[in-house]
Each structure stands twice: as structure tokens, then as C-alpha cells.
Amino acid sequence: MSLSAGLRSAWRQRGWLALALWPLSLPYRALVALRRTLYRWGVLRSERLPVPVIVVGNVIAGGAGKTPVTLALVRHLQATGWQPGVISRGYGRSSDGCREVLPASTASEVGDEPLLIARAAGVPVFVARRRAQAGRALLAAHPATDVIVCDDGLQHLALARTVEICVFNDEGVGNGFLLPAGPLREAWPRTVDAVLHTAPQAPPGTRAPAFRLTRQLAPYAIDAQGRQLPLTSLHGQALHAVAAIARPEEFFAMLRARGLTLVHCEALPDHYDFDSWQHLPDKGKTLICTEKDAVKLWPTHPGALAVPLHLSLPSEFWAQLDASLSSAP
């Protein structure tokens, strides 16, 4: 068992390892609380952009499904008459500074998730360590933008926000400890405008309106040219599945649930760049992957197929979001 897998297992309960690490979480908790207090007192200041800002994030380490939620938000905003843009840190990129995600951009330059969002949604996307800088640059380059969605910025208090959305996966808050004794980046519960969760119940202590989201794979795969291929056409084929996401086993299970035959499953670290990835053990097998991985695989493996992840959210959530934006100054 890897260290990462061992920690994830320990974070699910208050066992001996979590309890042994608990004293180390106390200084971290104090620093997080101090930083939030400095912002609340105005010692550190948040920058407010001239358009509403929706922040999508989580309070746990690792993936919780923020980027699919960001895509769902962008598509809803487009459908309701808004002109959204997206900002992100661009985690895992080799470049520095603020830059726009362009059609010719690579994942190593701008990050895999921003590149996926730009290609899938067709909206302006900018990346910068300071999200407010990315927002200013986006608005200067695309002045028609009237709302900004920040992908993964719940702890980035330097950016003022209109709406905060916290996303949880099935593991919820785990054992409830902060890093490194547990999965929490900050203490929970905390004030947010909405909680989205995949488990049957919202995480303990949740005070904000909570909405359960459901996830399922699209009934089709996408090739490097953007063409859709029904998954039923892949039934009976020997497939090599690869996933460099936080929880690759979930992706593999969803593929099998669609009736696909996975003869080889390869789980890689989240945000893996594929630069050193070895060729397929059997060139005769079709490579199938996530959309996030596809933006890095297609330049060298144009035959790979990506299966999108679709989210479903209750109408009550969309109604609350629309009301929050309509009343924003």
C-alpha cells in the first residue's frame, strides 16, 4: 500500500495513525484560523472584481469533483443568458505568471483542468497564482464577460466572492481531523452558500443549504477530433483504461457499469503529465481515459478515447444560484 493510499485509509477513521498525527494538525489548524482572522479584521485584504464571482472548492485534500461542477455551472450560466469566464490557479503547470488558455495551449503550460474547461465549454479561461490577477486579465481581454467562476478557490481568501460552493465526495469529512491527521484543509463546518455532496447525506455539521449531486459517465466517448462514439459500439472490445485522477478506481468501475471490458486498468497520480508514460503493453487494445487525461494524451496517442463525466443537480440548487446572482450588486 502506498503512503497516499495508507493516509487515505487512515483519514476515514480515528485509528492509531490518525491519533498519532493529530498533534501535528494543531499548528496547522492555528495557522489556518489566524489567516482567516486576518482577512476578517482587514489586516489582509480581499480584492473584489467588478462582476459576480462564484467560487467552487472543497475543504478536503484530494479530488472532490470540483472541475465537473465548474463545467456544469458554466453551461447553466450560458443557458440562462450569462457570459461566463473561468479562472484557476492552473495546478501542475510548468509555466508561471498569468496567461490565457488558448486553443494551442498545452496542459503543461496552463494545467490540465483549465485546458479541459476551455475546450469543453468554449469560454475564456485564465490562470494565475493570484486569482484576482487572472480575473482582471480575463475581463480586460473579454470585456463582455459578466460573471466569473473560480475553479478551486475556497481557501484563496485574497479573492472576494459572491457565492461559495463547497463540494464533497462520498467520503465526506472523513475522520474530521485537519491535515495531516485527517483530510480537512480547514475546520468544518464553515460558512458557505451551498454544499454539494455525492453521499446520501450531507457531511455532519453542514449548516448551508445542501444538495445531492449524481454523477454518471456519458453514453459516448469522444475522439481527438471531437467526434462522439457510442459506448455500446465498444462492447466486446478489449480496452486499456488509464486514469490520472484523485480516485481512478471510481472511473474504472463506472466504465464497467457501462458494459465495457477492461483488460488492463492503469491508475496514475492525479495530474500526471504523461511525459514519461510507457507505451501500451498491447498496441491492439483501444485506450480509454478521462477527459482530463485526454488533453495530455491526444498529442502522443491520438487514438485514445475520452469518456465525459456528466453531473445532475436538483432544480432547487439552480434556483438558489440564480437568485443569488440576480441580487448581487
Side-chain angles (χ1 to χ4, degrees), residues 20-163:
L21 292 172
W22 179 75
L24 300 179
S25 72
L26 299 180
Y28 176 77
R29 175 187 286 269
L31 288 173
V32 170
L34 174 62
R35 180 171 172 270
R36 181 168 288 277
T37 298
L38 292 176
Y39 273 101
R40 187 168 61 248
W41 288 352
V43 178
L44 299 176
R45 296 187 178 275
S46 301
E47 181 173 346
R48 187 168 297 279
L49 297 176
V51 299
V53 174
I54 304 169
V55 168
V56 180
N58 63 5
V59 294
I60 62 168
K66 299 179 297 295
T67 299
V69 170
T70 297
L71 276 170
L73 288 170
V74 167
R75 288 166 177 151
H76 172 81
L77 293 168
Q78 290 173 315
T80 52
W82 292 88
Q83 297 189 56
V86 175
I87 58 175
S88 172
R89 177 186 175 184
Y91 182 82
R93 64 189 175 116
S94 58
S95 64
D96 200 5
C98 178
R99 63 172 60 199
E100 183 171 10
V101 181
L102 301 170
S105 297
T106 64
S108 63
E109 294 171 336
V110 298
D112 49 14
E113 289 163 343
L115 184 57
L116 165 60
I117 293 169
R119 291 182 177 178
V123 296
V125 180
F126 275 71
V127 296
R129 182 177 295 275
R130 292 187 61 84
R131 277 45 152 217
Q133 180 187 11
R136 292 195 305 271
L138 190 155
L139 293 172
H142 302 273
T145 301
D146 53 12
V147 61
I148 286 179
V149 182
C150 179
D151 183 28
D152 192 11
L154 205 60
Q155 288 79 39
H156 189 71
L157 302 179
L159 175 67
R161 62 282 316 263
T162 310
V163 176

Side-chain angles (χ1 to χ4, degrees), residues 103-303:
S105 297
T106 64
S108 63
E109 294 171 336
V110 298
D112 49 14
E113 289 163 343
L115 184 57
L116 165 60
I117 293 169
R119 291 182 177 178
V123 296
V125 180
F126 275 71
V127 296
R129 182 177 295 275
R130 292 187 61 84
R131 277 45 152 217
Q133 180 187 11
R136 292 195 305 271
L138 190 155
L139 293 172
H142 302 273
T145 301
D146 53 12
V147 61
I148 286 179
V149 182
C150 179
D151 183 28
D152 192 11
L154 205 60
Q155 288 79 39
H156 189 71
L157 302 179
L159 175 67
R161 62 282 316 263
T162 310
V163 176
E164 282 189 317
I165 300 171
C166 187
V167 185
F168 287 94
N169 58 31
D170 287 349
E171 296 177 4
V173 296
N175 60 19
F177 288 158
L178 270 68
L179 294 167
L184 291 179
R185 297 176 177 181
E186 56 180 314
W188 183 263
R190 58 154 286 184
T191 300
V192 293
D193 296 289
V195 168
L196 301 180
H197 58 95
T198 58
Q201 302 295 327
T206 297
R207 300 166 186 162
F211 307 91
R212 188 179 184 189
L213 64 85
T214 58
R215 303 179 298 170
Q216 63 179 355
L217 294 182
Y220 57 85
I222 302 173
D223 66 13
Q225 289 73 45
R227 296 172 299 200
Q228 294 184 6
L229 182 70
L231 291 184
T232 53
S233 67
L234 299 176
H235 287 179
Q237 292 191 32
L239 303 174
H240 177 116
V242 62
I245 57 178
R247 290 167 177 80
E249 296 79 11
E250 294 182 9
F251 176 65
F252 301 147
M254 296 171 84
L255 289 174
R256 294 189 183 99
R258 284 284 188 179
L260 301 184
T261 304
L262 309 183
V263 296
H264 189 75
C265 294
E266 190 169 357
L268 296 167
D270 195 11
H271 300 286
Y272 184 73
D273 60 17
F274 286 96
D275 287 345
S276 60
W277 190 58
Q278 299 297 316
H279 292 294
L280 299 179
D282 185 343
K283 296 294 182 65
K285 295 183 177 66
T286 299
L287 177 62
I288 195 163
C289 62
T290 70
E291 280 190 294
K292 187 169 84 168
D293 297 321
V295 298
K296 294 173 286 188
L297 276 170
W298 278 333
T300 54
H301 294 79

